Amino acid sequence: MHMGYIQIIALLITGIGVGFASGLLGVGGCFIMVPVQFWALTSIGVDSTIAIRIAFGTNLAVVLVTAISGAIGHHKKGVVLWKAAIILGISALIGAFVGGYIASHLPGNILKIGFGLAILAGAIRMLTAKPIKVEQKPVDNVLAYILWGFPLGIVSGIIGIGGGVLMIPVMVLALRFDMHQAVGSSTALMIFASIGGILSYILNGLSVSGLPSYSLGYVNLLQWVLLAGTSVPMARVGVMVAHKLSPQKLKYLFIIVMIYMGLKMIGVFQWLNLPI
């Protein structure tokens, strides 16, 4: 099972959008990547359950390199809280490894709907939360970081995302980061969270039959090269744009993206026959 020119071009264009979204919003870009990867795989005859697992596993591998690029950019702007990012990230890494194991034993449809519901819940919570008072300082508590990082890591491993889209609402609402700190630190923590998920998806997919060419377990190396090759340079562009926006505008842009992503993965647009 080999991909054709149409699938390759679609993945290259997707990588550009993913990189920009990652740098701008501190998310892995899974809301763009996963649906396109899923289509590219099923269109060449890959079983849908295997296709969604490969989409999630490969997505995490792209998130890893894009997050490194974005974190360097945000670090230069001074908005990465490294202590929080590292402790949250290591906790999330362990959780993501567990989540990847769970995902490799769940049906594809449950994974897609679970992904969509988790994202919508985060968007609604951010939209309804009261604004943070400017004088509040970010929470600096190792136990709090561990208790938030581990379960969010499990969820990110199950639904194949770097965790930024779930962690940013937690950072803003529970840990009192401002929006720029949340985006910057989230990009850094995704480096760790994605590693746990990648290892799990590779190990749990090694003995599976029906994988497309160039697959290492549930990570497809061809898709990874196409997506990562375009997303990494674009992440830097996204970082530059993020720091030109006010925290309030950044927050509402983030919420809009989350709502779209959640509805897309649940299948709402498909039920309504909308081509978006």
Side-chain angles (χ1 to χ4, degrees):
M1 287 179 279
H2 294 275
M3 282 192 290
Y5 291 119
I6 294 171
Q7 287 90 348
I8 288 170
I9 291 165
L11 288 165
L12 285 170
I13 294 167
T14 300
I16 293 169
V18 164
F20 186 72
S22 175
L24 178 67
L25 301 170
V27 298
C30 51
F31 57 95
I32 310 170
M33 271 191 286
V34 169
V36 177
Q37 286 174 278
F38 182 73
W39 161 78
L41 291 162
T42 52
S43 68
I44 60 168
V46 178
D47 173 76
S48 63
T49 292
I50 289 175
I52 195 72
R53 289 175 186 164
I54 293 172
F56 286 163
T58 308
N59 169 59
L60 284 170
V62 178
V63 166
L64 173 62
V65 287
T66 310
I68 291 169
S69 173
I72 291 167
H74 284 296
H75 173 70
K76 287 178 179 172
K77 301 281 188 184
V79 295
V80 179
L81 303 181
W82 280 106
K83 178 184 173 183
I86 290 168
I87 297 169
L88 281 163
I90 291 170
S91 306
L93 184 156
I94 298 164
F97 190 85
V98 175
Y101 172 79
I102 295 168
S104 64
H105 294 83
L106 282 176
N109 209 37
I110 289 176
L111 292 176
K112 276 182 71 182
I113 292 171
F115 173 83
L117 291 173
I119 305 312
L120 276 180
I124 292 163
R125 186 71 193 89
M126 279 195 86
L127 197 57
T128 56
K130 293 187 176 81
I132 296 165
K133 293 184 177 71
V134 176
E135 64 269 17
Q136 285 187 323
K137 288 185 177 175
V139 171
D140 185 9
N141 183 302
V142 172
L143 184 62
Y145 296 157
I146 293 169
L147 291 176
W148 278 113
F150 182 69
L152 286 166
I154 291 176
V155 175
S156 77
I158 290 174
I159 56 181
I161 62 175
V165 77
L166 301 175
M167 189 56 83
I168 285 178
V170 168
M171 286 177 168
V172 171
L173 303 170
L175 302 177
R176 300 201 295 266
F177 290 20
D178 75 30
M179 195 63 196
H180 283 122
Q181 287 171 335
V183 168
S185 303
S186 157
T187 310
L189 95 85
M190 284 193 298
I191 296 168
F192 299 93
S194 58
I195 290 170
I198 292 162
L199 291 172
S200 199
Y201 275 98
I202 289 173
L203 293 172
N204 286 296
L206 284 177
S207 57
V208 173
S209 59
L211 297 173
S213 307
Y214 313 111
S215 290
L216 181 62
Y218 288 126
V219 175
N220 185 265
L221 299 176
L222 176 58
Q223 285 199 347
W224 178 71
V225 168
L226 294 171
L227 290 163
T230 45
S231 70
V232 171
M234 282 304 293
R236 293 301 184 88
V237 178
V239 168
M240 287 190 288
V241 175
H243 287 275
K244 293 188 187 324
L245 293 173
S246 71
Q248 195 68 8
K249 283 180 182 170
L250 200 56
K251 176 183 166 181
Y252 285 121
L253 183 59
F254 185 78
I255 289 168
I256 290 165
V257 168
M258 286 174 79
I259 291 169
Y260 167 76
M261 179 190 351
L263 295 174
K264 175 88 175 171
M265 291 308 288
I266 291 167
V268 171
F269 300 131
Q270 200 175 349
W271 297 335
L272 298 173
N273 290 319
L274 294 173
I276 54 173

